[in-house]
Amino acid sequence: MATTHDGFLPISKEDMVERGWYYCDFLLVTGDAYVDHPSFGTAVISRVLEDAGYRVAILSQPDFRSEADFVAMGRPRYAVLINSGNIDSMVAHYTAAKKRRHDDSYSPGGKAGRRPDRAVTVYAKLARRAFPDVPVYLGGLEASLRRFAHYDYWADRILPTVLQDAGADGLMFGMGERSVLEIAANLKAGKRGADVVRHVRGTAYLTQDKEDISFPAVWCPSLDEVLADKVKYAESVKIQYDQQDHITGKAVVQKHGHRLLVQNPPALPLTTEEMDKVYGLPYQRTYHPSYEAEGGVPAIAEVQFSIIHNRGCFGGCNFCSLAFHQGRFISSRSHESVIEEAKRIAQHPDFKGYIHDVGGPTANFRFPACKKQEKHGLCRDKRCLFPKACANLEADHTDYLTLLRKLREIPGVKKVFVRSGLRYDYMMADHNDEFFLELVKYHISGQLKVAPEHMSDHALYYMGKPSFDVYERFKKRYERINEKLGKKQYLVPYLMSSHPGAELSDAVHLAEYLNSIGYMPQQVQDFYPTPGTLSTAMYYSEIDPRTMKPVYVAKTPEEKAMQRALLQWRRPDKRALVIKALMQAGREDLIGYGKECLIHPRPDEHFPHLHDRKKQAGSARHGGAKPRKTVSPSAREQKRPAPRRKAGWAKPKKKR
């Protein structure tokens, strides 16, 4: 069954015929269900091509056991474009513990199993079998982060560029609007092979000829070198990261056997006018009606009535792929564009008056961190917010606050929430309380989610996050504003365990702190080594690419489980792991009856250090030496000053 649905792009040959099409220019294949919303890359790229006059058909979640679904769509005139969906297919399928997930919010009915592992590679091979003479180009997050030789956590080894395994003609990395239009124009003009992409920024391709390198280039260690030497792998990642600025970045070349992988410099960010045009295209803002019978597509729930107002993030967390994919330079839409989208949302029949989010990668970034970045690019060996806010940082929320005020005034809008990540360190660099005050008053509901990730400065250094002291000052400021407004709202922190550099003693220190403030997180994220991040390079190589110095990495399932368990020490199912972790860390002093202890012994449990204390106490009562707290040498070395009890996270609000 396939019938034309007004407003959506065709999803079958029958849809095309009903439109009067007997071919399409581009067949866009995706691992997600087809959702025509600007939060989905498939929707954006297809609408951009449509706006340029091309015929685009969508092949969503095709049968990956044969090329039959590809053949049924008919041969596209110019190319097959492939992405795995909004997220990496391996992340969609597996947890950080490599356990299979039971659901998939980007599939109809939330059912898993509709896409293959390593989706872009599988789809590319099927496209080749279906249309041997049609060019194939990869895009989206999965392809973007695998464009070089990379460590693959699931295979636990270095894999070559995804272009080699997929056999594709080229790859678009980052935000692809400019790249895809240039590729489309080159194909339309009759260009073939490397000529299609070699002059296009934001692309990567394989070639045997050095003459195909069109931009000034730097070379990074080859596939053979990174396979043989982890130091070379760390070096290659550092070189690749250093060239990801659209102003200063050069092409990066990596030898793969007898061929050369060439990554051209990043695409230029869209201007405000160009972003306005992209987000003003005729998106239907929902999933294709053909999924209704299966219960729709769950992923739409959080974004249907949300607005993206910016791109890029200069926060630069080491575990985040944004710097390698979307870039650190901030681009933003005009107020008029955002307001027009909000007005369209307000007219939607299912809209209840609540705009769920006005954000992006980081909600409170509206412009580059400093004026220098607009002409000279971002600093290569400096971060805007790490280890502390740069002296040149222009921390100003005035424009964002003005935008939020305008949105609150739109008829039919009851509440405008901010749910994307807020950089609290950027907020602390802004000494004007005006934005903070209105955020607390109008734009959160009971709780504010932020991401300190840890409280050990040792661990935070390897994460690329600021000192925990910044969070403590933020929390006090937040509490002061809530008190001023007569509100009782809470902070909900995101915490991460087992990040490279974080030792068992760091996890114990964090558990002590959480215990001292009476807070235990319900959810903790284990570090997930996904392709394209500095932290993943640390995990594999045990070297920090920033300094080329060794870094400790918790790799065994047991130690990772212990670090995670320490952050949820009260849970009965974690008790044995917590005890083992404390004993291994030499922190038996945290097993006992004091309020500072994480584990209170049960009647049937025997701990030698407690037995020794009882003997010492008995000796003291009979004239012997006074009992003395026994601390092992390892504990004495690792124990740190007790955290201040007045700081920390508030208890979560009880559900009624």
Side-chain angles (χ1 to χ4, degrees), residues 25-26 45 48-49 52 54 77-82 134-139 163 168-173 175-205 264 267:
D25 293 320
F26 293 96
I45 295 301
V48 165
L49 285 168
Y54 297 100
R77 181 158 66 158
Y78 295 135
V80 179
L81 308 176
I82 293 171
V134 176
V136 175
Y137 296 97
L138 312 180
L163 283 168
D169 295 89
L171 176 155
M172 290 167 275
F173 65 90
M175 309 308 286
E177 295 95 345
R178 290 189 188 280
S179 305
V180 77
L181 288 177
E182 286 191 59
I183 287 173
N186 289 341
L187 290 168
K188 188 176 181 179
K191 294 183 179 181
R192 291 292 181 267
D195 285 343
V196 177
V197 295
R198 69 190 185 96
H199 293 289
V200 180
R201 298 175 69 102
T203 64
Y205 56 96
N264 286 335

Side-chain angles (χ1 to χ4, degrees), residues 45 106 159 208 217 255 451:
I45 295 301
Y106 291 92
L159 295 181
Q208 295 183 357
K255 193 174 181 182

Side-chain angles (χ1 to χ4, degrees), residues 108-415:
K111 297 176 183 176
R114 297 286 287 266
R115 79 181 94 208
D117 286 355
R118 310 187 193 283
V120 292
T121 301
V122 174
Y123 292 154
K125 290 178 177 179
L126 291 174
R128 275 278 184 256
R129 282 159 52 182
F131 315 117
D133 60 336
V134 176
V136 175
Y137 296 97
L138 312 180
L141 190 69
E142 179 170 315
S144 181
L145 301 183
R146 297 168 182 270
R147 58 190 184 267
F148 291 100
H150 59 280
Y151 172 68
D152 185 275
Y153 173 62
W154 305 275
D156 194 23
R157 59 189 174 91
I158 297 293
L159 295 181
T161 171
V162 69
L163 283 168
Q164 179 169 301
D165 285 342
D169 295 89
L171 176 155
M172 290 167 275
F173 65 90
M175 309 308 286
E177 295 95 345
R178 290 189 188 280
S179 305
V180 77
L181 288 177
E182 286 191 59
I183 287 173
N186 289 341
L187 290 168
K188 188 176 181 179
K191 294 183 179 181
R192 291 292 181 267
D195 285 343
V196 177
V197 295
R198 69 190 185 96
H199 293 289
V200 180
R201 298 175 69 102
T203 64
Y205 56 96
L206 286 167
T207 181
Q208 295 183 357
D209 191 349
K210 290 183 181 180
E211 297 301 316
D212 286 333
I213 303 173
S214 302
F215 294 88
V218 297
W219 291 61
C220 72
S222 69
L223 173 62
D224 287 342
E225 288 178 304
V226 301
L227 282 169
D229 188 345
K230 291 184 177 182
V231 175
K232 289 293 183 183
Y233 181 72
E235 288 177 1
S236 75
V237 171
K238 178 64 164 62
I239 291 169
Q240 292 156 19
Y241 259 79
D242 283 348
Q243 302 304 324
Q244 295 312 311
D245 185 76
H246 68 281
I247 294 177
T248 63
K250 297 180 179 179
V252 182
V253 183
Q254 184 177 52
K255 193 174 181 182
H256 275 59
H258 63 281
R259 293 194 291 177
L260 303 175
L261 169 69
V262 182
Q263 179 213 264
N264 286 335
L268 300 178
L270 297 183
T271 64
T272 294
E273 293 73 22
E274 289 168 333
M275 280 187 72
D276 287 353
K277 183 177 180 181
V278 167
Y279 286 93
L281 295 173
Y283 305 99
Q284 299 302 295
R285 303 194 67 85
T286 189
Y287 51 79
H288 193 275
S290 61
Y291 305 128
E292 201 66 58
E294 298 180 77
V297 181
I300 193 63
E302 280 299 312
V303 300
Q304 185 171 21
F305 302 126
S306 296
I307 300 173
I308 297 170
H309 75 89
N310 65 4
R311 286 183 177 180
C313 178
F314 54 73
C317 299
N318 292 335
F319 51 82
C320 178
S321 62
L322 272 166
F324 201 57
H325 176 64
Q326 203 170 111
R328 293 193 291 150
F329 187 82
I330 305 299
S331 304
S332 59
R333 297 166 61 187
S334 69
H335 287 199
E336 292 74 19
S337 172
V338 174
I339 291 166
E340 281 304 310
E341 183 174 353
K343 288 179 178 178
R344 290 195 296 273
I345 288 174
Q347 299 303 312
H348 195 284
D350 296 330
F351 183 64
K352 306 298 183 185
Y354 302 96
I355 294 178
H356 294 159
D357 186 27
V358 182
T362 297
N364 53 326
F365 292 168
R366 279 287 293 171
F367 44 80
C370 67
K371 289 290 189 293
K372 168 187 171 293
Q373 293 178 357
E374 298 180 20
K375 290 186 177 180
H376 304 288
L378 284 97
C379 299
R380 182 166 294 176
D381 294 316
K382 293 181 180 179
R383 304 286 182 87
C384 302
L385 291 166
F386 173 82
K388 60 182 181 180
C390 175
N392 295 323
L393 178 71
E394 298 178 12
D396 186 353
H397 291 83
T398 304
D399 187 63
Y400 186 40
L401 178 57
T402 301
L403 175 60
L404 293 173
R405 286 171 174 169
K406 290 177 181 178
L407 292 171
R408 295 202 307 257
E409 298 301 317
I410 295 175
V413 173
K414 299 176 183 177
K415 189 90 172 180

